[in-house]
Amino acid sequence: MKEYSNSHMEYIINEYIHKDRDRLIMKLHFVDGWTAEEIARHKDVDLSPRWVYTIIDRRLTEISKFL
């Protein structure tokens, strides 16, 4: 993946990911640098790390053409 600025990534996430929880997961991972394990323990996420990785992978596929 090519380099990106935090502001550009946040814009892409806000613009093309429509589910609140998934937007939060993507921002925590790509803007704030959280790991899937850390995100999984977040009070508004409460998923397994494996499921967090799945969401990140699926959503990254969706937005990669805009990066």
Side-chain angles (χ1 to χ4, degrees):
M1 188 164 79
K2 65 182 183 178
E3 290 293 315
Y4 59 86
S5 67
N6 285 344
S7 59
H8 182 67
M9 181 59 96
E10 189 166 9
Y11 169 78
I12 296 297
I13 291 168
N14 285 333
E15 191 69 21
Y16 297 103
I17 297 178
H18 303 296
K19 189 171 184 176
D20 287 339
R21 183 200 63 197
D22 292 1
R23 271 197 312 273
L24 174 62
I25 289 170
M26 296 297 283
K27 286 180 188 178
L28 289 173
H29 184 71
F30 287 104
V31 176
D32 298 332
W34 288 33
T35 65
E37 290 79 13
E38 292 168 327
I39 296 168
R41 291 190 303 264
H42 189 281
K43 66 180 178 75
D44 293 330
V45 176
D46 193 31
L47 297 169
S48 72
R50 185 178 199 149
W51 192 244
V52 171
Y53 278 121
T54 300
I55 290 169
I56 290 170
D57 184 55
R58 287 180 183 169
R59 295 304 189 164
L60 183 58
T61 301
E62 291 175 22
I63 65 171
S64 63
K65 60 186 166 219
F66 303 108
L67 296 174

